[in-house]
Amino acid sequence: MSLEKTLVILKPSAVQRGLIGEITTRFERKGLRLAGMKMMQLDELLNEHYAHLSEKPFFQRVKNSMMASPVIVCCYEGVDAIQVVRSMTGATNGRVAIPGTIRGDFSVSSQENIVHTSDSPKTAIEEINRFFKPEELFEYKQVHMPYLY
Ligand code: ADP
């Protein structure tokens, strides 16, 4: 059983709509361990974070949307956490995302889709290092671990 860490960003659409609690509650109830959490105002870091979208016509719009208010960045840990969190996230377009997923329940948009979540082990490592300093991540034991796995 190997534990993985993944990055979650609660986007301005989550912060402004008062969904921070709703969403973090889902990850807590699922059994993921919160390794780090902070509020940030995003800026040029987005050029790196969304480099794979730089040729898209909506690149600037997405960056503006991500800078519209502070965001909450979280690092969660669990067995297969990257895939678990991606499944809970749902499809990019909230109108297509399956009900029960975060985007399926809270979004009707491709852009204002509430959360960013890492999509592979490689990007998870890059993204965690991009948004967290090592001392901002905490290693502690979940006392209920024997009842999770
Ligand atoms: P995901 O967030 O599901 O991993 P991508 O990495 O493809 O999706 O896109 C990153 C973000 O860019 C999306 O979460 C969304 O905010 C925005 N985005 C993607 N596609 C579109 C689109 N067609 N129109 C507007 N914004 C988009």
Side-chain angles (χ1 to χ4, degrees):
M1 225 173 50
S2 77
L3 294 168
E4 280 180 350
K5 287 190 176 70
T6 190
L7 185 90
V8 174
I9 305 177
L10 307 185
K11 296 184 176 187
S13 48
V15 173
Q16 290 288 346
R17 289 178 52 200
L19 295 172
I20 297 168
E22 289 271 2
I23 295 160
T24 55
T25 296
R26 289 183 177 216
F27 295 129
E28 282 183 325
R29 286 188 180 159
K30 184 70 173 171
L32 295 164
R33 185 182 77 82
L34 183 65
M37 182 182 226
K38 60 180 176 174
M39 184 173 255
M40 284 180 84
Q41 175 61 51
L42 297 181
D43 48 26
E44 61 269 12
L45 211 54
L46 286 166
N47 288 323
E48 205 181 297
H49 182 63
Y50 280 145
H52 63 291
L53 300 178
S54 63
E55 303 302 318
K56 301 280 187 195
F58 53 82
F59 183 49
Q60 189 59 48
R61 207 153 38 82
V62 169
K63 285 197 296 177
N64 291 344
S65 156
M66 291 294 283
M67 294 188 290
S69 85
V71 298
I72 308 288
V73 291
C74 309
C75 177
Y76 285 101
E77 184 186 74
V79 175
D80 299 332
I82 297 159
Q83 188 49 52
V84 168
V85 169
R86 272 311 265 192
S87 301
M88 293 171 74
T89 299
T92 305
N93 181 345
R95 297 189 295 279
V96 172
I98 294 169
T101 63
I102 293 166
R103 289 168 171 171
D105 287 349
F106 300 118
S107 168
V108 285
S109 168
S110 287
Q111 179 176 287
E112 302 303 328
N113 58 3
I114 314 294
V115 284
H116 165 82
T117 57
S118 304
D119 65 1
S120 73
K122 180 174 174 287
T123 55
I125 290 167
E126 288 169 1
E127 291 177 353
I128 290 164
N129 290 335
R130 180 173 302 136
F131 288 97
F132 284 100
K133 298 186 187 118
E135 64 270 25
E136 292 172 332
L137 295 175
F138 297 85
E139 297 295 335
Y140 59 93
K141 281 221 174 346
Q142 275 172 303
V143 291
H144 54 254
M145 192 77 161
Y147 304 96
L148 288 175
Y149 298 105

